[in-house]
Amino acid sequence: MSALFEQFILESRELLEAAGAALLRLERAPTETAAVNDLFRALHTLKGATALFDMAPFTRMVHAGEDALMAVRDGRAVMNGDLADRLLDLLDIGTAWIDGLEHSQSLPDDADTRARAQEAGLRAALGGPAESMDGGTPAGFTWVDELSEAERAKAAGRTVTAIAYDPAEDCFFAGDDPLDLCRRIPDLLLLRVETAGAWPMLTDLDPYRCALRFRALSGASKDELTRLFRGVPDQVSLATVAIPAPSAPVPLAAPASLATAMLREQARILRLPGNDVETAARRPAVLRAVRNILAAEGRNADAPSLDRAADGPVDALIRCIESLADGPAAAAPAAPATPPLQARRTLRVDAERMDRLMALVGELVVAKGSLPYLAREAQQGRNADALAQGIKEANGRIDSIVGDLQDAVLRLRLLPLSRVFDPLPRLVRDTARRLGKPVELHLSGGETEADKDILDILGEPLLHLVRNALDHGVETPERRRAAGKPEVATLRVQAFQDSGGVVVEVSDDGAGIDAAAVRRKAVAQGALSAEQAAALSDTEALRLILLPGLSTSDSVSDLSGRGVGMDAVRGAVEQAGGRVEIASDSGVGTRFRLVLPLTMMVTRLVTVETAGALYGFPVTLVTGMQRFPHGAIRRMKHAESVVVQDAVVPLLRLRRLLNLPEDERERSGESVLLVDLGGQPVALVVDTFRERAEVVLKPMTGLLARLRGYAGTAVLGDGSLLLALNLRELV
């Protein structure tokens, strides 16, 4: 993927996200000028970016959205739900096209058809047909009727395309080059360059503003010309016109090319009256212009003659330029083929964080410099105490720098949670409209940072929770009125850092979760016996909704009801080493809390030893460590259990889960690790407790990657190997 195209993909995504956010703001407050300006700016920039890469359907579609927004800004239309739906659909198509461009580097085959459909839909939403590039009619091209016979001769007897190009005055600042565009008109039959208005005095002429307009006839089709002028569709009108044949043939000299006219104009500039100082001031500008014209025409071989005349008399330079104007104009070389693009993962990094990283690398290099000196001291048999002290000091410095370096590297990957919050307003808006439930969304804590991998995992669970809150939690307006609540429900999503991790809460003021109904559903589906369900507290009963296949909804919709959403939430959060907490008050509302580590690169584990090997479990899943005497373990057939805080907890043995030999040694009791597997407490017998450790996990590769019970491996400080276990898969 070229650097320019990669930048286009990144910036287009940001522009589409910014446009979506601004559009939602505008729908809520149609008179908010800032929202209109933000949306218009995003669309205008996106239009220019797509035009740069020759994506005519994309440019056409975005231009149609820009026209609709201009109607809103000018007061000719009102931003209502229908128009907002049309514009949001446009942004969705744009997002899908950008995703496709990243992988296939081309728009879909139906892109032009979809672009035209979007354009027609926007015109309908505005209450009638809107002006477009194809909307020009011969009635707006009276200049064609005023052409002389000599100007008509080349197109006489043909049906051609008339072009009226009125560049914006500030077109140069937008990166447009009107002359270059006209030079590239295919099958150019006529080109007229006219002043757009009264020509100002030379002293009042602003060279940075375009004061020209262009009229042309071309034998090319309107579609071909539309692609050529894709970057300035609002400044160009096209019409198909028939040029009648002349009554008598008119001899016509071959027209001079546009490059020839431009070169002759540079020679004329050098002939303008003025003193020697003024003429000398014009010479560098003329030379630059002539060199650029030659380069654009592919005539680099003619440049040496210009260089020889550049330092000579003005008359000699004028003659040289005129001779270049009389020479053949070479066709512009074809652009080299673009190599196949490959999608790459990208991550934008704050410059200050990169600077800190480089500073730490410099400190590490300096600290490393003391090691050769200590090595020489050791070889020479110097004082052992002094040598030990030097090694200790060097180790302390390097250890401190490595710790800071690790922190700096981790912070390179930190991104704000606003990345996963940004899609939520659109989701809430569309879902609430479908369900007929007015909902007000409150977002806070978007600036809270977490590792990019955490954000990638968090996105889907967050969408599940928000959809469930809208579908299950929030009541209809009628039920809310009956319960004495405001018709507009409140949905809150907030994030904050706590105890070195990230907490994301999703809460609503809806009907809440009925713990008794959850118990009944669990019993009906065979997840628990009636006695087990009755023994659960309300808090424990609420966690049953995290079990696979258990849903409290009586009907299945495209939003929820299949019993897989909350199980997916739990699975994703536990995969990241986190946990899910649930709190609900019937009739008041529900709160889901996702507790996640700050990063997945460094994992905090509780380590244990079993059968001579070291194993690790995520700290977030471990609720305690205890030793139980043999008499405290209850046995029923092959099942074992223990009582923990007045609750019966199933007991498993790690040796059996891993198919390791039984421990034949006599023990006074068992070392038991207490873990929480998505609301289900489990007691796990291990041989020995070890210390907690922060490790960098390496995932299993090759055939071992299929062993889902193992999360990865890590090397500890003493060189020993640790296996991190996925206990949920083992169980």
Side-chain angles (χ1 to χ4, degrees):
M1 179 180 292
S2 69
L4 184 60
F5 194 82
E6 183 178 348
Q7 187 73 9
F8 163 73
I9 294 293
L10 289 173
E11 293 186 355
S12 296
R13 282 203 176 101
E14 293 178 355
L15 290 169
L16 288 165
E17 291 173 1
L23 180 55
L24 294 177
R25 285 164 46 206
L26 184 60
E27 186 184 21
R28 291 193 300 268
T31 59
E32 185 183 341
T33 304
V36 175
N37 292 338
D38 290 347
L39 179 54
F40 190 85
R41 187 182 304 111
L43 290 179
H44 187 72
T45 306
L46 181 62
K47 182 184 75 173
T50 56
L52 179 65
F53 287 94
D54 194 15
M55 300 174 187
F58 208 154
T59 307
R60 179 191 186 97
M61 183 179 70
V62 177
H63 180 60
E66 194 179 36
D67 282 347
L69 187 59
M70 287 183 66
V72 174
R73 188 170 65 176
D74 297 342
R76 293 181 282 115
V78 178
M79 179 58 68
N80 53 31
D82 185 31
L83 181 56
D85 286 340
R86 298 278 186 181
L87 289 172
L88 286 170
D89 190 34
L90 183 152
L91 297 179
D92 288 343
I93 294 174
T95 301
W97 284 357
I98 289 295
D99 291 341
L101 285 167
E102 186 176 21
H103 295 94
S104 63
Q105 295 79 55
S106 62
L107 293 175
D109 295 337
D110 63 345
D112 191 64
T113 302
R114 297 193 71 179
R116 293 179 185 276
Q118 288 298 312
E119 187 179 26
L122 285 168
R123 286 201 302 269
L126 292 172
E131 228 178 86
S132 69
M133 182 180 283
D134 285 342
T137 63
F141 289 76
T142 56
W143 57 271
V144 176
D145 299 328
E146 299 167 359
L147 295 175
S148 66
E149 288 297 324
E151 290 175 316
R152 291 168 173 264
K154 193 73 178 290
R158 298 179 57 180
T159 298
V160 298
T161 304
I163 306 165
Y165 177 22
D166 296 287
E169 287 189 352
D170 59 350
C171 63
F172 305 135
F173 297 97
D176 297 335
D177 186 343
L179 285 174
D180 179 64
L181 275 175
C182 292
R183 180 180 67 83
R184 292 189 283 120
I185 294 175
D187 196 6
L188 180 62
L189 306 173
L190 169 75
L191 177 65
R192 292 173 59 176
V193 183
E194 307 170 345
T195 58
W199 196 260
M201 297 292 293
L202 190 59
T203 55
D204 298 330
L205 184 64
D206 184 354
Y208 297 105
R209 304 192 74 80
C210 183
L212 301 175
R213 67 180 188 181
F214 302 84
R215 301 293 181 260
L217 296 178
S218 169
S221 67
K222 289 176 68 176
D223 287 342
E224 191 173 358
L225 293 169
T226 297
R227 289 193 293 271
L228 174 64
F229 289 98
R230 61 192 178 276
V232 289
D234 52 330
Q235 302 167 27
V236 176
S237 296
L238 303 175
T240 302
V241 296
I243 306 296
S247 54
V250 179
L252 182 67
S257 72
L258 184 59
T260 297
M262 295 168 65
L263 288 171
R264 292 191 182 282
E265 180 64 17
Q266 299 307 312
R268 187 190 69 81
I269 291 173
L270 285 178
R271 287 198 182 96
L272 291 174
N275 55 38
D276 293 342
V277 175
E278 292 173 334
T279 302
R282 296 189 193 112
R283 184 192 292 255
V286 168
L287 287 170
R288 282 197 302 271
V290 173
R291 288 192 177 98
N292 289 337
I293 294 169
L294 294 177
E297 291 293 307
R299 297 173 58 186
N300 295 323
D302 294 334
S305 63
L306 178 67
D307 294 337
R308 287 191 294 270
D311 298 326
V314 174
D315 291 342
L317 180 58
I318 292 174
R319 287 194 299 272
C320 177
I321 295 175
E322 288 177 337
S323 68
L324 292 173
D326 294 335
T338 304
L341 303 176
Q342 294 181 350
R344 294 193 299 175
R345 295 181 66 194
T346 57
L347 182 65
R348 292 194 174 188
V349 178
D350 184 72
E352 293 182 0
R353 295 183 179 181
M354 286 298 300
D355 292 342
R356 180 177 179 236
L357 182 62
M358 292 304 299
L360 288 170
V361 170
E363 292 181 25
L364 186 60
V365 171
V366 173
K368 187 189 70 171
S370 64
L371 297 181
Y373 167 75
L374 293 172
R376 288 195 302 271
E377 291 287 299
Q379 287 177 342
Q380 295 171 5
R382 296 296 173 88
N383 184 279
D385 292 338
L387 183 61
Q389 182 62 28
I391 294 174
K392 183 177 180 181
E393 291 175 358
N395 177 70
R397 288 195 301 270
I398 294 176
D399 183 67
S400 176
I401 295 171
V402 169
D404 292 341
L405 195 60
Q406 181 185 20
D407 179 70
V409 171
L410 293 180
R411 290 191 176 278
L412 291 181
R413 296 172 53 86
L414 295 183
L415 296 173
L417 263 70
S418 57
R419 297 292 185 97
V420 292
F421 282 6
D422 287 345
L424 298 182
R426 171 72 186 280
L427 173 68
V428 172
R429 181 251 183 204
D430 291 349
T431 307
R433 279 171 63 89
R434 283 177 57 191
L435 297 174
K437 299 177 181 180
V439 178
E440 186 173 346
L441 174 66
H442 296 274
L443 296 173
S444 61
E447 70 283 355
T448 304
E449 292 185 322
D451 188 276
K452 181 181 183 298
D453 288 341
I454 294 292
L455 265 61
D456 291 342
I457 290 176
L458 179 61
E460 193 64 25
L462 200 54
L463 295 181
H464 276 301
L465 292 178
V466 170
R467 280 198 294 261
N468 276 3
L470 296 172
D471 197 21
H472 296 317
V474 173
E475 313 97 326
T476 61
E478 296 77 15
R479 291 186 59 187
R480 292 182 66 86
R481 281 197 302 269
K485 295 181 178 181
E487 285 191 16
V488 179
T490 300
L491 178 63
R492 299 183 187 276
V493 181
Q494 59 179 333
F496 54 89
Q497 287 191 357
D498 182 50
S499 300
V502 177
V503 178
V504 179
E505 289 185 352
V506 179
S507 59
D508 63 73
D509 64 345
I513 303 175
D514 187 349
V518 175
R519 290 188 184 92
R520 290 194 297 270
K521 200 63 175 282
V523 172
Q525 294 186 358
L528 294 174
S529 66
E531 294 76 15
Q532 290 173 321
L536 296 177
S537 65
D538 285 351
T539 301
E540 293 170 335
L542 292 178
R543 296 191 62 83
L544 293 175
I545 66 173
L546 300 175
L547 295 176
L550 196 146
S551 173
T552 56
S553 177
D554 294 328
S555 61
V556 175
S557 70
D558 56 348
L559 286 177
S560 59
R562 293 174 174 83
V564 297
M566 295 309 301
D567 178 48
V569 170
R570 181 187 66 174
V573 172
E574 289 183 357
Q575 177 190 349
R579 66 180 187 274
V580 181
E581 299 176 357
I582 308 172
S584 182
D585 291 328
S586 182
V588 178
T590 303
R591 183 193 70 195
F592 288 90
R593 171 180 282 197
L594 309 182
V595 183
L596 295 155
L598 186 64
T599 178
M600 291 178 64
M601 288 188 64
V602 176
T603 306
R604 298 174 63 198
L605 299 176
V606 173
T607 62
V608 300
E609 182 178 343
T610 296
L614 294 178
Y615 300 94
F617 302 90
V619 170
T620 52
L621 300 183
V622 178
T623 59
M625 293 179 286
Q626 285 185 235
R627 284 193 59 83
F628 286 87
H630 291 293
I633 299 176
R634 303 179 180 181
R635 293 175 175 82
M636 181 177 293
K637 295 185 179 181
H638 297 292
E640 296 179 309
S641 63
V642 292
V643 177
V644 180
Q645 296 180 351
D646 299 329
V648 178
V649 176
L651 183 137
L652 305 174
R653 296 180 180 272
L654 185 56
R655 284 176 176 262
R656 294 176 184 173
L657 293 177
L658 299 177
N659 292 321
L660 299 174
E662 295 287 345
D663 189 2
E664 303 295 340
R665 293 175 297 174
E666 291 289 335
R667 294 176 178 271
S668 59
E670 301 286 5
S671 299
V672 176
L673 194 70
L674 302 175
V675 296
D676 182 355
L677 297 183
Q680 176 61 52
V682 172
L684 186 67
V685 175
V686 299
D687 288 0
T688 309
F689 298 130
R690 298 289 291 268
E691 67 281 352
R692 296 189 180 188
E694 289 190 353
V695 300
V696 177
L697 281 183
K698 294 183 179 180
M700 312 293 276
T701 58
L703 293 175
L704 297 179
R706 301 178 184 178
L707 302 176
R708 301 179 61 185
Y710 295 89
T713 63
V715 178
L716 301 180
D718 59 1
S720 56
L721 182 67
L722 172 77
L723 286 171
L725 298 179
N726 187 339
L727 188 57
R728 186 182 179 194
E729 293 293 337
L730 291 176
V731 172

